[in-house]
Amino acid sequence: MNFDISLHIDLEIQDNDFVLNDSLSPSTLKKADVIAQDIKHRILESGLLTKLVGLRNKNGIAPILTELELLTEQDNRIKPGTIKVYRNDDGTLSITAQTRQYGGLQSGI
């Protein structure tokens, strides 16, 4: 299967703003980094993160993490069944998955 990598180029966004390079032009992302950024934005826009606020009980957290995994799995650039969403000790989330084209990716929220 031969894919065109030019399909996976995007502007880099952090804290709801464009990241600028040294020449003050918008910085770009490529390949798996584009997919990771898209997944992060999909999760942020889903509203599911607000359900995690204040939860400390693993039985309450686990179903929400599963919902986040299912939401992530809707991206057809990700290999189904490879997505894992973890809640870190500091309350942040880490996401790992395998892309169809670029191998593994990691993202944090």
Side-chain angles (χ1 to χ4, degrees), residues 2-102:
N2 196 2
F3 293 98
D4 182 8
I5 43 180
S6 65
L7 293 176
H8 296 112
I9 296 175
D10 200 359
L11 297 176
E12 184 176 4
I13 298 173
Q14 290 181 6
D15 300 324
N16 295 321
D17 203 358
F18 295 110
V19 174
L20 302 179
N21 61 22
D22 292 337
S23 63
L24 300 179
S25 298
S27 180
T28 58
L29 297 174
K30 296 179 183 168
K31 301 181 180 180
D33 293 333
V34 171
I35 299 169
Q37 177 172 273
D38 289 347
I39 288 169
K40 180 179 177 179
H41 290 157
R42 177 180 283 183
I43 288 172
L44 289 170
E45 293 168 2
S46 74
L48 290 171
L49 295 180
T50 58
K51 293 181 177 182
L52 289 172
V53 175
L55 284 180
R56 289 177 181 77
N57 182 330
K58 288 184 181 184
N59 292 331
I61 294 170
I64 298 168
L65 297 181
T66 300
E67 281 186 74
L68 292 170
E69 289 175 359
L70 293 172
L71 177 70
T72 302
E73 198 164 85
Q74 292 176 6
D75 191 318
N76 63 4
R77 300 170 293 180
I78 300 291
K79 288 182 183 177
T82 65
I83 298 118
K84 296 291 179 201
V85 179
Y86 305 95
R87 186 168 181 185
N88 303 314
D89 292 338
D90 64 358
T92 61
L93 296 180
S94 294
I95 303 159
T96 60
Q98 291 291 317
T99 66
R100 293 185 187 272
Q101 290 178 257
Y102 309 116

